[in-house]
């Protein structure tokens, strides 16, 4: 007697009927054989995961794929299987692509200066989940601020092309999902997100193995750096604001990488009573001292409004910007805007 299956057969493609991928986007991808995939500089897990996932999708369709990122992918994702090397210099391209796909970039400028000329020369597809995206894709645009991660959009795109979510493609989609949903704990997690995670698992995804590679890769330098940041953290505005400042030299003191500070802002948000967490990281660009700002909040506190005042963006509870001031002065300038959010 044949028993009914509880789950679809491994490798089956079960699309989510609640999500529609634009036909113009599908047509643009199918009509070009050489595709360059680019994501915003200093990529997080969503940008890197979405890039890899789209690359594997297009490779399966027989396309020639190249990944580009002005700053490269972070070391903590060095284990992630990629469909091609990640180029950091447009001049190193082996040939002119027929199409550029921009991922997870709220505007074209976030892709970096080096690629701007190419964006004017070839068709561009823009896939993003940030509010306020100006739809800068000349060939097609798919913007959906309700999506928690651009990687989820790539998962739906792969399924629309009738590709199963398995293998390296599934790993990349999962990295993107957990990065931008806080492992499905943030308020942006949707039913479609959890259904996609279930389909990844049904396709054979080794969640435990990926979690181990994501979580258990700290260096001693990162451990010591985070200890220093916790010791020096400031709790301001009656306990409502948690702040950490990172000088350019601080990671070097502990043998840490600059990217090792990523994620620390979330620790500040864990403090009872803190409504906004603020990480201010000193950087140098073209001989000028600047500050990269990371903002986190919970509930109705909209830190994207704060970031927007300084030319940045993001989401209601996670946003960022770059300010042309050193960290201490940036803190003094940005505090009134944070207070305005509370008021």
């Amino acid at each position: 007697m044949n028993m009914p299956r509880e789950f679809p057969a491994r490798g089956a493609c079960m699309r989510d009927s609640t999500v529609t991928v634009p036909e113009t986007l599908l047509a643009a991808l199918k009509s070009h054989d050489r595709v360059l995939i680019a994501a915003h500089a200093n990529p997080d897990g969503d940008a890197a995961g979405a890039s890899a996932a789209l690359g594997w999708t297009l490779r399966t369709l027989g396309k020639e794929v190249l990944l580009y990122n002005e700053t490269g992918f972070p070391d903590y994702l060095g284990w992630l299987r990629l469909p091609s090397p990640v180029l950091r210099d447009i001049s190193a391209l082996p040939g002119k692509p027929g199409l550029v796909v921009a991922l997870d970039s709220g505007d074209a400028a976030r892709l970096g200066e080096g690629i701007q000329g190419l964006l004017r020369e070839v068709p561009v597809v823009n896939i993003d989940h940030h509010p306020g995206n100006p739809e800068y894709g000349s060939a097609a645009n798919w913007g959906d601020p309700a999506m928690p991660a651009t990687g989820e959009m790539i998962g739906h795109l792969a399924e629309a092309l009738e590709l199963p979510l398995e293998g390296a493609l599934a790993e990349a989609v999962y990295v993107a999902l957990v990065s931008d949903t806080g492992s499905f704990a943030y308020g942006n997690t949707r039913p479609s997100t959890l259904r996609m995670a279930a389909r990844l698992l049904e396709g054979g995804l080794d969640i435990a193995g990926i979690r181990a590679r994501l979580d258990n890769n700290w260096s001693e330098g990162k451990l010591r750096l985070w200890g220093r940041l916790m010791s020096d953290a400031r709790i301001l505005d009656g306990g409502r604001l948690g702040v950490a400042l990172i000088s350019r030299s601080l990671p070097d003191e502990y043998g840490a990488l600059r990217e090792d500070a990523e994620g620390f802002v979330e620790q500040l948000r864990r403090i009872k009573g803190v409504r906004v967490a603020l990480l201010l990281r000193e950087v140098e660009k073209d001989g000028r001292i600047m500050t990269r700002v990371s903002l986190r909040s919970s509930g109705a506190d909209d830190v994207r409004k704060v970031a927007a005042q300084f030319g940045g963006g993001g989401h209601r509870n996670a946003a960022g910007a770059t300010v042309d001031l050193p960290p201490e002065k940036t803190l003094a300038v940005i505090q009134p805007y944070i207070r305005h959010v509370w008021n």
Side-chain angles (χ1 to χ4, degrees), residues 296-316:
R296 298 293 186 272
S297 66
S298 299
D301 292 330
D302 190 348
V303 292
R304 188 172 74 94
K305 293 181 178 179
V306 178
Q309 298 299 318
F310 299 91
H315 306 280
R316 182 178 64 186

Side-chain angles (χ1 to χ4, degrees), residues 132-157:
N133 187 297
E135 297 194 343
Y136 53 89
S138 56
N141 291 279
W142 184 20
D144 189 348
M147 286 281 185
T150 300
E152 180 180 337
M153 301 172 76
I154 302 304
H156 292 300
L157 170 62

